Tab-separated table of all heavy atoms in Angstrom:
chain	number	residue	atom	x	y	z
A	25	PHE	N	-10.846	5.992	5.733
A	25	PHE	CA	-10.567	6.719	6.941
A	25	PHE	C	-10.016	5.772	7.997
A	25	PHE	O	-10.436	4.648	8.118
A	25	PHE	CB	-11.838	7.374	7.484
A	25	PHE	CG	-12.337	8.435	6.624
A	25	PHE	CD1	-13.208	8.100	5.495
A	25	PHE	CD2	-11.984	9.765	6.802
A	25	PHE	CE1	-13.677	9.104	4.690
A	25	PHE	CE2	-12.522	10.794	5.946
A	25	PHE	CZ	-13.302	10.447	4.888
A	30	PHE	N	-7.361	2.788	16.678
A	30	PHE	CA	-7.537	1.426	16.238
A	30	PHE	C	-6.209	0.783	15.712
A	30	PHE	O	-6.216	-0.339	15.251
A	30	PHE	CB	-8.641	1.286	15.125
A	30	PHE	CG	-9.992	1.666	15.601
A	30	PHE	CD1	-10.804	2.463	14.816
A	30	PHE	CD2	-10.475	1.244	16.836
A	30	PHE	CE1	-12.115	2.803	15.238
A	30	PHE	CE2	-11.747	1.630	17.264
A	30	PHE	CZ	-12.571	2.415	16.480
A	56	ALA	N	-7.995	-1.247	10.802
A	56	ALA	CA	-8.347	-0.039	11.499
A	56	ALA	C	-9.444	0.729	10.708
A	56	ALA	O	-10.357	1.303	11.293
A	56	ALA	CB	-7.121	0.847	11.691
A	70	LEU	N	-26.808	4.923	17.365
A	70	LEU	CA	-26.850	5.637	18.608
A	70	LEU	C	-27.389	7.004	18.525
A	70	LEU	O	-27.992	7.513	19.479
A	70	LEU	CB	-25.388	5.708	19.194
A	70	LEU	CG	-24.841	4.398	19.737
A	70	LEU	CD1	-23.336	4.462	19.933
A	70	LEU	CD2	-25.515	3.996	21.097
A	102	GLU	N	-17.623	2.417	24.057
A	102	GLU	CA	-17.866	2.330	25.518
A	102	GLU	C	-16.827	3.108	26.272
A	102	GLU	O	-17.191	3.765	27.249
A	102	GLU	CB	-17.743	0.787	25.885
A	102	GLU	CG	-18.947	-0.004	25.591
A	102	GLU	CD	-18.841	-1.471	26.046
A	102	GLU	OE1	-17.764	-1.970	26.224
A	102	GLU	OE2	-19.892	-2.101	26.214
A	104	LYS	N	-15.487	5.803	25.347
A	104	LYS	CA	-15.828	7.207	25.221
A	104	LYS	C	-17.212	7.503	25.838
A	104	LYS	O	-17.717	8.652	25.731
A	104	LYS	CB	-15.854	7.622	23.717
A	104	LYS	CG	-14.477	7.546	23.095
A	104	LYS	CD	-13.529	8.497	23.718
A	104	LYS	CE	-12.147	8.406	23.117
A	104	LYS	NZ	-11.155	9.267	23.814
A	123	THR	N	-46.374	1.567	28.276
A	123	THR	CA	-47.455	0.728	27.622
A	123	THR	C	-47.539	-0.648	28.260
A	123	THR	O	-48.655	-1.264	28.105
A	123	THR	CB	-47.168	0.587	26.112
A	123	THR	OG1	-45.836	0.031	25.949
A	123	THR	CG2	-47.234	1.930	25.383
A	129	ILE	N	-39.575	-9.198	38.202
A	129	ILE	CA	-39.072	-10.442	37.586
A	129	ILE	C	-39.087	-10.382	36.082
A	129	ILE	O	-38.100	-10.759	35.435
A	129	ILE	CB	-39.983	-11.626	38.105
A	129	ILE	CG1	-39.947	-11.715	39.627
A	129	ILE	CG2	-39.505	-12.945	37.456
A	129	ILE	CD1	-41.040	-12.514	40.234
A	137	SER	N	-32.509	-10.815	28.384
A	137	SER	CA	-32.764	-11.435	27.034
A	137	SER	C	-32.247	-10.501	25.928
A	137	SER	O	-32.027	-10.909	24.790
A	137	SER	CB	-34.261	-11.673	26.829
A	137	SER	OG	-34.959	-10.460	26.567
A	139	GLY	N	-29.409	-9.087	26.057
A	139	GLY	CA	-27.909	-9.158	26.140
A	139	GLY	C	-27.299	-8.325	27.243
A	139	GLY	O	-26.056	-8.184	27.271
A	144	ASP	N	-25.660	-5.651	35.541
A	144	ASP	CA	-26.138	-4.304	35.020
A	144	ASP	C	-27.679	-4.323	35.025
A	144	ASP	O	-28.312	-3.325	35.386
A	144	ASP	CB	-25.647	-4.051	33.640
A	144	ASP	CG	-24.184	-3.618	33.614
A	144	ASP	OD1	-23.616	-3.189	34.696
A	144	ASP	OD2	-23.540	-3.643	32.572
A	171	LYS	N	-59.953	-5.445	31.962
A	171	LYS	CA	-60.567	-4.858	30.741
A	171	LYS	C	-60.521	-5.826	29.548
A	171	LYS	O	-61.398	-5.846	28.696
A	171	LYS	CB	-59.830	-3.518	30.403
A	171	LYS	CG	-60.265	-2.376	31.173
A	171	LYS	CD	-59.565	-1.088	30.665
A	171	LYS	CE	-59.915	0.060	31.595
A	171	LYS	NZ	-59.154	1.246	31.261
A	172	SER	N	-59.470	-6.632	29.508
A	172	SER	CA	-59.330	-7.564	28.373
A	172	SER	C	-60.134	-8.900	28.665
A	172	SER	O	-60.030	-9.865	27.854
A	172	SER	CB	-57.895	-7.908	28.114
A	172	SER	OG	-57.336	-8.658	29.123
A	174	LYS	N	-59.902	-11.000	31.406
A	174	LYS	CA	-59.304	-12.050	32.156
A	174	LYS	C	-59.810	-12.017	33.604
A	174	LYS	O	-60.063	-11.012	34.153
A	174	LYS	CB	-57.741	-11.876	32.199
A	174	LYS	CG	-57.094	-12.124	30.833
A	174	LYS	CD	-55.615	-11.861	30.879
A	174	LYS	CE	-54.973	-12.121	29.535
A	174	LYS	NZ	-55.333	-11.166	28.512
A	198	ASP	N	-56.902	-8.070	46.570
A	198	ASP	CA	-57.679	-7.749	47.778
A	198	ASP	C	-58.126	-6.306	47.795
A	198	ASP	O	-59.195	-5.913	48.314
A	198	ASP	CB	-56.899	-8.095	49.037
A	198	ASP	CG	-56.823	-9.593	49.292
A	198	ASP	OD1	-57.632	-10.327	48.700
A	198	ASP	OD2	-55.960	-10.015	50.100
Side-chain angles (χ1 to χ4, degrees):
F25 293 85
F30 296 137
L70 286 164
E102 281 183 337
K104 295 298 177 184
T123 55
I129 300 162
S137 76
D144 284 343
K171 279 183 185 175
S172 69
K174 292 178 179 65
D198 284 344

